[in-house]
Amino acid sequence: MTGPEAATDNKPTQDQGMAAYAAPSLFQPHNARQAIRDAHERRIGPILCVYYGISSVPLARLLAPFGFDAVWIDWEHTSCNIETMTTMVHETMFMSGGKTIPFVRVPGHDHAAIGYALDCGASIVIPQVDTVAQCKHVVSAAKYGTKQNGTRSAPPFRLIPGVTDMPMLGDDLHKSVNDQAAIMIQIETLEGINNLDAMLTECPDVDIVWLGSLDCRVSMNFPANMGMGGDEPEWIEAEKKFTDTLKKHDKPRGGFGFGPAVKQKADQGYSC
C-alpha cells in the first residue's frame, strides 16, 4: 500500500521506508509533509537523510538502492546545473523504488529555482530565511493557487495526462501536489531566530525548520565550531529562543548529526 492510507492507518515497515508515502507516480513528490508530521508525532522514527555535498549523478545512482529515508541534494553549495539536479532527483526516486525522498536545497530564494526543484519531484530546503517577507515569498513560489497565495507556475508537460498525473490526495492534481511536497526553511542568523515566531504565524505552510548553526554562529561573530554550537551566553539564549518558538508552534526540527550524534539528536526530538 502506498499513499496517506499506509502512512496514517498502518505504521510503515522498515522494508517500506518512505515508499509508504510515495505518490502513484515517481515523477511526483512523496507525501513528504505527512512523513515529517508522522516523524514529529512519533508515529514513525526520525527521517534519516544522507547529505550529498557534491553534485554527482553516479553517486546518486550508487547510493539510491540502499534505501535511505531521504537524501539532501545541495544545489546551493555545489557546482550543480538544473539538468544535473533534476537527474539526481530522478535517480534517487527511481533507483530507490520510491523508498527515498529527495530534498533539494535551492540556491537562495529564486522563484524559478524553487519551481525547477519541485517540478522534478523533490521537496525543498530554503536557506537563509530571515524575515516574514522572505518566508512569504518562498512559500508563495512553492504553492499553486490563490488560497495559499501561490504563484507557482503549473508545468504543462512535466506529467503525462492519464499516465503520471494521477492525484495522490483527493481528485485535484495541483491541490494534491501542494499537500505532498514539503518546505523546510533554514534559520541562519540571529535576525531569523528573532523573526521566526512571526514567520510561522504568517506562514503555516512551512513544514519543518532547521537551525543552520554554522552560518548562524559565523553571522553572530562566534567561532563556527563546525556548526556544533557553543557555550557563549548569547548563543545559548538564541538557541533556546529558537527551540521555544518551535515548541510554541508545534513545528518539527531538522538538523545535522554525525555518528553517535544522530541517535542523540533523535532522542532530543529532531524529526529529520
Side-chain angles (χ1 to χ4, degrees):
M1 180 186 291
T2 61
E5 296 83 6
T8 56
D9 294 343
N10 300 295
K11 184 176 179 179
T13 68
Q14 184 177 0
D15 288 340
Q16 282 180 303
M18 293 296 108
Y21 301 90
S25 164
L26 294 181
F27 286 104
Q28 295 182 32
H30 284 73
N31 189 0
R33 302 190 76 193
Q34 186 63 53
I36 290 169
R37 177 53 53 177
D38 284 351
H40 180 59
E41 296 176 357
R42 297 298 178 258
R43 288 194 287 269
I44 62 173
I47 298 171
L48 300 180
C49 183
V50 175
Y51 172 67
Y52 288 171
I54 58 174
S55 299
S56 169
V57 171
L59 177 66
R61 186 179 300 130
L62 173 67
L63 294 182
F66 285 85
F68 297 109
D69 293 334
V71 298
W72 174 308
I73 298 167
D74 196 348
W75 193 14
E76 181 190 20
H77 286 301
T78 63
S79 55
C80 185
N81 60 27
I82 297 164
E83 291 82 4
T84 298
M85 178 275 295
T86 298
T87 303
M88 290 178 71
V89 169
H90 288 168
E91 291 286 348
T92 297
M93 294 285 271
F94 285 90
M95 294 297 288
S96 73
K99 290 184 178 181
T100 301
I101 299 175
F103 283 84
V104 172
R105 177 159 65 176
V106 298
H109 303 166
D110 179 61
H111 188 285
I114 291 170
Y116 284 133
L118 290 168
D119 283 353
C120 64
S123 287
I124 55 173
V125 181
I126 309 293
Q128 297 181 314
V129 181
D130 294 325
T131 68
V132 171
Q134 290 174 349
C135 196
K136 285 183 174 181
H137 165 75
V138 298
V139 172
S140 173
K143 298 294 182 181
Y144 297 115
T146 58
K147 285 186 177 180
Q148 291 172 283
N149 195 33
T151 55
R152 181 180 171 191
S153 176
F157 304 114
R158 176 64 66 174
L159 299 175
I160 303 171
V163 180
T164 58
D165 71 341
M166 304 79 74
M168 180 180 187
L169 309 171
D171 57 4
D172 184 286
L173 173 65
H174 297 95
K175 290 180 181 178
S176 180
V177 171
N178 273 359
D179 289 331
Q180 291 167 224
I183 300 172
M184 180 190 297
I185 62 170
Q186 289 191 289
I187 303 300
E188 303 186 76
T189 63
L190 183 59
E191 180 187 13
I193 292 174
N194 289 334
N195 288 330
L196 182 59
D197 184 24
M199 286 189 236
L200 296 180
T201 299
E202 296 289 327
C203 303
D205 285 319
V206 169
D207 297 293
I208 181 169
V209 186
W210 182 297
L211 178 60
S213 298
L214 189 152
D215 272 299
C216 193
R217 286 183 58 80
V218 170
S219 76
M220 293 173 68
N221 304 304
F222 296 137
N225 290 351
M226 292 295 294
M228 295 298 151
D231 57 5
E232 301 88 354
E234 297 92 337
W235 174 255
I236 293 171
E237 180 182 356
E239 191 166 32
K240 182 179 186 303
K241 185 171 186 178
F242 176 86
T243 302
D244 289 346
T245 302
L246 291 192
K247 288 180 180 177
K248 174 184 175 181
H249 291 271
D250 191 28
K251 285 293 182 181
R253 179 174 184 175
F256 264 126
F258 300 94
V262 173
K263 183 180 186 307
Q264 180 185 16
K265 285 182 177 288
D267 292 342
Q268 291 172 350
Y270 284 68
S271 301
C272 184

